[in-house]
Amino acid sequence: MNAFQAHKTLLDESIVVACHVWVPAKFNTAQYSNWAKFLIDEQSWCLSDAHLAQFKYLENDTRLYLTGFLLIVQKIFQLARVPVFDLIQVTACEKSDTHQDQLNLSIQIATVHHLHENVYRHTIKSALDLNQWVVQNSPAVENRLKVWRTITDDVLSTLNGLVPAGKSTIPVLRVAHALGIPFFHLGLGIYQLGWGSQSKRLARSSAELDSEMGSKLAQNKVITANLLRVAGLPAPVHVVVNTEQSAINAANHIGFPVVVKPIDLDRGEGVTVDVLSEQALILAYAAAHKISNAKHVIVERQVSGVCHRLLVANGDLLYAVKRMPMGVLGDGHSSVLDLVNTQWLAESEKPPWLRSEIQKIDDLALIELKRLELSPQYLPSEGEFVSLRRIESTQWGGIDVDVTKTIHSENIKLALQAAKLFGLSVAGIDVISTDISQPWYKNGAIINEVNFSPLFGGASISRSYIPQFLTKFIQGQGKIPIVMFDSEHLALEYQQQQTANKVRCFLTHADTTLDDKGLAVLMPVVGLVQRVRALVLRTDVDAIVVVSEVVS
């Protein structure tokens, strides 16, 4: 048996769940099909003929209904950040003996280790209920809102408490799966990619080589800035205050304009920029102090420019984006107000998990337009960008522009130095610069933040770089040879050939295991699956030879 087959036989696990599916005798197939774009972002419910093989004796309407059910199951898994990417297999499909309108299904789902069975059962039950409801109702606005609320407020709120994963988990693992890289959940949202000596570990976007001390330092804005400054890197100039008067004194010492923000919050919460006077400072301080848990506020010298996220991975720049604030692009004939309303309406047609952060014109948008000396009735030219917020933030959203090909080499060097200083193999270095194509020392750019475990794969630009990241992060598909023999003699001969070539090849039976020197590896487990899994978690294993009387 070749290595791939051995992997599939010994290392892949699945759960089979029996479920009773009510199937309507008659329904509006066109109306039901319209639900696909509002639930799975597809124009229709569609599976390949191979996946529909179990349904070939059923009527077309029933096949369509069951297809919708399976696709809703898969969508819920991925929204809940459960990395189930292979289409769910139907292993049995029979009509109920007691209920004419019911089918008895057995469905097989790839399992993720250390996830409770309730994750799978709750997902299937939720998909059954949702499918049954949507087939009886049109995708009118009020019905869509009801379904989306059910998914986000009921289904996902329950699953999110059972699934330890971050926003970067699914995008990265989806690409790993597409590239043929096996992964294994170790627990707490930490995944091993690959096997044995070829494996690497990843938690969201943080890698096993990331320094724990560096991650702690990076999570404190004040300490981060101080460390950058001591290391001779451009950093923010700021003062930490806890009274209104100390804030005024700090601003006068630093010099206006200043930025005011809570010391202990992220996502742009409580941040006020362009603070030009003591009166404005008092208001900004009060807003930041009110929401700060520590009741401490940072008063920081404002630097001209836009924030750029430089994603450093494996000792190189992976990509760089210019983080523009929430705004709209002109089309040459629509006002800002019309552009916003059109975009907002288009986004409202999408499920919540696919929408941008665009909002209708509000007080913050009016303040930004006033700063730009514009109004909601302004008619921007085609391609002209009009911002609706002063800065980009996670709270308000924004627009990323890929600047990877135009960033100056000195700014790349700066980001790499910062990541190395904090001992982070994956880091998001935020640089405020008026022009990222110019070296930092010529335009007064600074490193605003060093981010441990930065969001990776959340937007289209970021997702497009995941294959490049994994290609360098892990060698090939991260697999090691796992070869099975039904002969002890042939297995030993193969192991000796491998060790002669300096390959650390381990040999295992169901109850005994030998290392590459022929010494017994003691394990309190019995069974080929358990022993092979134990070996692929070891980084000193280059190959595994399995002795089995039955190869299945």
Side-chain angles (χ1 to χ4, degrees), residues 35 68 167 219 247 264 315 338 373 441 463 479 503 542-543:
W35 273 104
K167 292 181 179 179
Q219 292 174 58
D264 51 0
D338 288 340
E373 299 182 349
Y441 51 79
R463 285 193 294 273
K479 295 177 181 177
V503 174
D542 298 327

Side-chain angles (χ1 to χ4, degrees), residues 186-261:
L186 303 176
L188 301 176
I190 300 171
Y191 285 82
Q192 175 172 305
L193 276 63
W195 308 127
S197 60
Q198 299 300 309
S199 67
K200 295 288 180 66
R201 293 177 179 181
L202 204 64
R204 298 165 177 85
S205 67
S206 61
E208 60 188 4
L209 297 178
D210 286 332
S211 162
E212 181 182 357
M213 290 181 286
S215 69
K216 288 181 178 179
L217 292 170
Q219 292 174 58
N220 186 298
K221 295 182 179 70
V222 176
I223 291 176
T224 294
N226 290 340
L227 181 56
L228 289 169
R229 199 176 300 110
V230 170
L233 303 177
V237 175
H238 60 221
V239 179
V240 179
V241 299
N242 60 0
T243 67
E244 182 181 290
Q245 186 57 51
S246 60
I248 293 172
N249 295 340
N252 286 324
H253 174 70
I254 292 173
F256 289 96
V258 295
V259 178
V260 179
K261 53 190 173 183

Side-chain angles (χ1 to χ4, degrees), residues 31-64:
Q31 176 180 282
Y32 175 63
S33 295
N34 284 338
W35 273 104
K37 65 181 178 182
F38 300 114
L39 284 172
I40 63 169
D41 195 32
E42 298 289 348
Q43 293 304 308
S44 64
W45 308 109
C46 184
L47 284 176
S48 68
D49 291 340
H51 286 99
L52 291 174
Q54 287 285 350
F55 306 153
K56 60 185 178 181
Y57 300 114
L58 301 176
E59 295 179 359
N60 288 338
D61 289 3
T62 303
R63 293 178 64 178
L64 177 66

Side-chain angles (χ1 to χ4, degrees), residues 10 488 507-515 519-532 534-535 545-549:
L10 293 172
E488 173 84 16
L507 183 149
T508 189
H509 300 72
D511 53 2
T512 57
T513 301
L514 302 178
D515 67 12
L519 301 176
V521 178
L522 302 180
M523 295 186 192
V525 295
V526 176
L528 281 179
V529 171
Q530 293 80 358
R531 286 186 170 250
V532 171
L535 291 176
V545 57
V546 180
V547 183
S548 174
E549 293 183 0

